Amino acid sequence: MSRYIWRGIDYGQSPTIHPHFTYVYKGLSIGAWGAYSTRGTYAEADLFAIYAYKFMSVTTNDYFFPFEGKHTDFYFDYNKGTTTHLLEGVLSFDGVPKFPLKLSVATTFYGNDLKTDGNSNYSTYIEALYPFTCKNSKFDVFAGFTPAKGLYSTTAGFVNTGIKFYKDIKVNSTFTLPANMAFIINPQAEKIYLTFGFTF
């Protein structure tokens, strides 16, 4: 990715590489995902588990940020106050064929998201996403909102709005490169981003 923008926040402020893998068994998906800045200024290594049933899914994320907090590389520190892990639960409605609108609510419940008094912020992010197709190209229109002060903003409000465009670029007769471009606005931070990425 040209920039790693997650829920309206710019991480790394440089191009990033995102290795990932997922193992799927029936309705259960487990995997790992990472983000590494090409400048060496940001790193992230996450684990996740998703259980999907019909049009609903429940996700648990374990985010790990080795460049933050007291420890820089100790993965197994889960002690409150020093851990750089962040645990989150997500409940999603994944849309139905005749109404593909996707809705999700994500809340942190442990880790590196604390108030000044040491208690958890329980930062919450609510997103609506509508996918559609136009002239054989896929698009997502999305709007993300946080209801209170926390990880995403100092006040309640919209933090991640925009549109994302997906296109398969045919390189030759045997190889196609999936690419994407996004126009993102964070109204709370008064920031705007135009990102580009591809997968191989």
Side-chain angles (χ1 to χ4, degrees):
M1 292 297 299
S2 59
R3 282 287 182 96
Y4 172 30
I5 311 298
W6 181 72
R7 297 177 182 172
I9 305 171
D10 186 356
Y11 287 91
Q13 299 181 342
S14 68
T16 54
I17 299 169
H18 302 272
H20 63 91
F21 73 87
T22 306
Y23 173 77
V24 179
Y25 177 74
K26 296 183 179 180
L28 178 66
S29 301
I30 57 174
W33 185 94
Y36 298 92
S37 166
T38 55
R39 292 171 53 191
T41 56
Y42 182 80
E44 180 180 340
D46 309 332
L47 299 176
F48 62 85
I50 305 170
Y51 181 74
Y53 179 73
K54 294 185 177 180
F55 306 114
M56 302 291 295
S57 62
V58 178
T59 303
T60 300
N61 293 310
D62 181 351
Y63 304 107
F64 175 61
F65 309 97
F67 286 174
E68 297 182 13
K70 182 178 178 181
H71 299 294
T72 58
D73 58 3
F74 185 40
Y75 182 86
F76 295 101
D77 177 12
Y78 279 89
N79 295 314
K80 185 176 181 180
T82 60
T83 184
T84 54
H85 285 265
L86 183 61
L87 304 185
E88 174 189 72
V90 186
L91 179 63
S92 301
F93 169 72
D94 300 318
V96 295
K98 292 185 178 181
F99 188 66
L101 178 69
K102 299 181 180 181
L103 302 172
S104 63
V105 179
T107 301
T108 63
F109 59 87
Y110 184 81
N112 190 25
D113 178 29
L114 302 176
K115 299 178 182 178
T116 54
D117 62 5
N119 293 318
S120 178
N121 270 315
Y122 295 103
S123 295
T124 297
Y125 176 79
I126 303 167
E127 184 178 271
L129 182 149
Y130 188 83
F132 66 95
T133 301
C134 180
K135 294 184 179 180
N136 297 320
S137 295
K138 295 181 179 179
F139 295 83
D140 289 337
V141 177
F142 55 88
F145 177 86
T146 187
K149 176 182 177 181
L151 177 66
Y152 309 103
S153 177
T154 56
T155 60
F158 286 94
V159 294
N160 185 40
T161 63
I163 186 169
K164 192 170 186 178
F165 163 71
Y166 302 88
K167 185 70 175 180
D168 290 338
I169 301 173
K170 188 175 181 179
V171 178
N172 55 42
S173 60
T174 60
F175 181 67
T176 300
L177 188 67
N180 67 81
M181 181 177 289
F183 179 71
I184 304 166
I185 300 173
N186 183 332
Q188 289 294 91
E190 299 182 348
K191 298 288 186 179
I192 187 171
Y193 307 99
L194 182 64
T195 65
F196 172 78
F198 58 87
T199 304
F200 62 90

